[in-house]
Every structure is written in C-alpha cells, then in structure tokens.
Amino acid sequence: MKLRKMMMTTVAAAMLTLSAAGASFASGLGTINAGALLQQHPQYAKTMASWQSDVKSAQQDFQKELKKTNDKAAQQALVQKYNTKLNQQRIALFSPLEKDILAKTQAVQKEKGLDYVVLSGSVVIGQAQDITKDVAAKLK
C-alpha cells in the first residue's frame, strides 16, 4: 500500500512538472513574419528601388559583355560574376534593414519575456505568440 501511494505521488509530480514545463515553453515562444516586417520597414521602398536599379544596370552590363563572347565557359564565368556582384549588393542594401528588424524583435522579445523567437511557420507542435505587429509598431 505504501509503495502504491509513493508511486502515485511520483507519477502525479512528474505530470505536474511536465505540464508546467510545457506551459512555460509555450508562453516563452514568439514568432515573426520576417518578410512582412521587411516590407513594412520605413526604408524598404527606397532600398527596393535602389536594388531594382542595381539589377537593371547589372542586366544591361551583363548583356553587353555576353555579346562579346561565344565561349560557354566564359559565359558561365560572366553569370557567376554578375550573380556574385548582385548578391553582394543585395546584402549591402538590405543588411541595415534586417539588423534594425532584429534589434526591434529583440526589444519586443525582452518586453514580453519570451525565451525564443522563430520565423512564422517554424512551430510544428504547440503554440507561440505572434509578435509581428509589435515589432512592426517599433519600426515606425
């Protein structure tokens, strides 16, 4: 009888511990829609216009250089060159916006007492608090 009572107490304690751990994890998890936040950033329109201008210019330059050669290896090298150049330009243009979004996300994370923030759609099981609107408000 004593053993049964002790086992029941142990099982009950384990269940309480697991449910408390699950509840604290769920309340400590936030999500953001990074794409939406990027588009809501005050500098997005200006940055995107600059990026589109860079892409158009690179395409024109690429076409001019491409006409100068029929060698497939040289053409592949040109593709690689312009892809690398555009990728570096994109990173240079959008990194400041992404860093700002990250800083605002960390501020909201701290305000709400969240342990983790992940991208929307990353939570497969359980619940998370969507903080996209809170971060967007800080971007303004």
Side-chain angles (χ1 to χ4, degrees):
M1 187 70 132
K2 206 173 193 182
L3 179 62
R4 184 175 180 186
K5 189 174 184 180
M6 192 163 54
M7 283 185 67
M8 293 299 284
T9 304
T10 303
V11 169
M15 289 175 66
L16 287 173
T17 302
L18 288 175
S19 66
S24 69
F25 181 73
S27 65
L29 181 64
T31 63
I32 58 166
N33 182 330
L37 288 171
L38 184 62
Q39 291 178 357
Q40 292 177 39
H41 195 283
Q43 295 297 314
Y44 178 77
K46 180 181 172 185
T47 303
M48 183 53 85
S50 180
W51 168 242
Q52 289 171 338
S53 175
D54 289 349
V55 169
K56 186 176 180 180
S57 176
Q59 286 173 335
Q60 291 170 349
D61 292 346
F62 173 73
Q63 291 299 326
K64 286 178 190 174
E65 285 193 51
L66 191 60
K67 289 178 183 177
K68 295 178 185 176
T69 184
N70 288 329
D71 180 41
K72 295 292 181 193
Q75 290 174 345
Q76 278 301 108
L78 279 175
V79 169
Q80 182 64 34
K81 172 186 168 184
Y82 280 95
N83 279 341
T84 300
K85 179 182 176 183
L86 283 173
N87 193 39
Q88 290 170 343
Q89 288 174 320
R90 180 189 54 79
I91 290 169
L93 284 171
F94 286 96
S95 283
L97 278 64
E98 292 166 353
K99 287 179 183 176
D100 188 36
I101 291 168
L102 179 61
K104 302 301 193 283
T105 300
Q106 289 170 330
V108 171
Q109 175 189 15
K110 187 175 181 179
E111 288 171 8
K112 294 195 173 278
L114 300 172
D115 297 318
Y116 305 97
V117 176
V118 296
L119 296 176
S120 296
S122 297
V123 180
V124 178
I125 297 174
Q127 295 180 343
Q129 182 178 4
D130 188 349
I131 61 170
T132 303
K133 289 180 182 178
D134 300 306
V135 176
K138 288 195 174 292
L139 289 173
K140 297 178 181 182

